[in-house]
Amino acid sequence: MTNTSAALVPRIQLNDGHSIPQLGFGVFRVDPGQTERIVTDALEVGYRHIDTARIYGNEEGVGRAIAESGIPREELFVTTKLWNDDQGTQSVFDALDRSLERLGLDYVDLYLIHWPAPANDRYVETWRAFEKLRESGRTRSIGVSNFLVPHLERLLAETAIVPAVDQIELHPYHQQPATTALAQEHDIAIEAWGPLGQGKYPLFELPEVADAAAAHDVTPAQVVIRWHLQRGHIVFPKSDRRERMAENFDVFGFELSDAEVEAITALEREGRVSAHPEEVH
Ligand code: NAD
């Protein structure tokens, strides 16, 4: 067990006084039946930040792996997310209670509104319930996911607490410059989901990525993760395979040059892998 490597992961300071490990492990599309084994592997590799969601259906497996690991709770950072059909007020309180029960935890470190679902027009009400959840201590920090400029602007105008993070699709082909600029202005940390483009783009074969990998004697995936870290994003790449978990964690022994970072940043082309947040209800 290589517990000590967890110390290599920098922490990002959030706007509410808490901090978050910049590199974590995501469990989207991790089979619920495999989750306990996969998260156990990730914790053994050294990950201490786990990103799940009610809709992934695997919070129980995450919770079992955490309980079995014996790792002190305060060394872990656990995020889960409110699904769209639980937006509202009382439904939000109930949803977090159920998530905590499945996770076997007294609190999560970060609770996110998974999508704004603007057609339902409930995200402002939902955020006010999130503010109460933070006061209750059942979540340390509160944030949003898939919120674009109009959604963030409404929260900033109509509610009291500025989200600690916005978790958005972000990889070299889709960098969301408008959203990240607004987030930066308000000290909202950016979490990049789909950091490797979910394998849907040939990111790893691009010369900007492949040449940097050859120059530093690392893999293209490590270059892309390193690019995120140097751009200041929080990331939690997903893999079911332990050797890839270890590869994705082993990104603190090299540094991309400014020119290498800029060449990858120049790849932006609005290459979204998911539905547009305006269209998810
Ligand atoms: P990702 O970009 O992390 O891609 C994962 C895929 O990349 C894996 O399935 C694997 O095929 C491949 N891969 C991983 N490591 C590799 C390596 N070293 N070499 C080659 N290929 C490798 O995509 P993701 O899982 O969608 O995103 C990461 C996390 O973000 C998720 O697990 C989840 O926690 C979160 N997420 C959030 C939302 C949201 O709406 N908030 C949506 C999607 C994902």
Side-chain angles (χ1 to χ4, degrees):
M1 188 138 159
T2 54
N3 272 334
T4 46
S5 50
L8 294 170
V9 179
R11 296 186 78 96
I12 297 276
Q13 201 60 41
L14 300 176
N15 64 18
D16 59 9
H18 293 293
S19 68
I20 180 171
Q22 193 181 4
L23 178 65
F25 184 73
V27 295
F28 177 47
R29 296 203 184 113
V30 171
D31 179 341
Q34 298 281 315
T35 303
E36 182 178 350
R37 192 269 302 164
I38 288 171
V39 174
T40 297
D41 280 351
L43 294 171
E44 287 180 4
V45 164
Y47 293 91
R48 291 293 178 269
H49 164 185
I50 307 292
D51 184 273
T52 184
R54 183 208 112 184
I55 200 69
Y56 302 167
N58 55 25
E59 290 171 311
E60 283 103 336
V62 170
R64 280 197 300 273
I66 287 174
E68 289 296 310
S69 74
I71 298 169
R73 175 69 184 91
E74 63 275 15
E75 288 177 22
L76 295 167
F77 192 102
V78 181
T79 300
T80 194
K81 313 185 190 87
L82 177 92
W83 189 240
N84 306 338
D85 55 11
D86 287 324
Q87 285 202 22
T89 300
Q90 188 57 45
S91 53
V92 171
F93 304 146
D94 296 343
L96 180 56
D97 281 344
R98 287 194 301 269
S99 280
L100 288 173
E101 226 167 87
R102 286 188 291 266
L103 287 161
L105 298 176
D106 301 330
Y107 69 91
V108 284
D109 296 277
L110 178 62
Y111 197 38
L112 302 179
I113 303 181
H114 205 145
W115 293 85
N120 306 338
D121 196 19
R122 300 196 87 170
Y123 65 84
V124 173
E125 177 193 350
T126 301
W127 186 251
R128 294 200 180 106
F130 267 54
E131 293 178 332
K132 294 208 171 64
L133 285 177
R134 197 184 81 171
E135 267 168 46
S136 79
R138 284 182 292 166
T139 179
R140 294 266 161 97
S141 296
I142 52 175
V144 295
S145 177
N146 298 301
F147 275 49
L148 304 184
V149 169
H151 319 120
L152 285 177
E153 280 180 339
R154 256 195 91 188
L155 286 194
L156 292 167
E158 298 178 35
T159 67
I161 297 180
V162 177
V165 311
D166 191 4
Q167 182 179 125
I168 52 176
E169 178 185 340
L170 203 166
H171 45 76
Y173 269 7
H174 189 54
Q175 296 176 41
Q176 311 235 37
T179 303
T180 54
L182 182 66
Q184 195 168 15
E185 204 180 303
H186 293 276
D187 196 19
I188 300 168
I190 288 292
E191 296 194 326
W193 72 250
L196 304 173
Q198 294 185 342
K200 287 185 186 158
Y201 294 111
L203 292 180
F204 298 162
E205 281 98 65
L206 298 171
E208 291 80 355
V209 173
D211 292 354
H216 294 277
D217 195 20
V218 295
T219 68
Q222 289 172 318
V223 167
V224 174
I225 294 167
R226 189 69 217 176
W227 171 81
H228 282 287
L229 298 176
Q230 290 184 220
R231 296 279 290 165
H233 311 147
I234 299 157
V235 275
F236 23 82
K238 174 245 162 182
S239 178
D240 291 355
R241 291 160 52 179
R242 188 174 171 129
E243 66 277 12
R244 281 186 170 172
M245 294 176 197
E247 175 185 329
N248 297 346
F249 197 81
D250 183 15
V251 287
F252 301 104
F254 71 104
E255 191 167 339
L256 299 174
S257 68
D258 290 348
E260 287 166 335
V261 170
E262 278 159 27
I264 297 172
T265 305
L267 293 169
E268 160 67 21
R269 63 198 58 202
E270 292 219 31
R272 198 180 273 290
V273 299
S274 76
H276 192 287
E278 282 291 337
E279 285 148 23
V280 176
H281 308 308

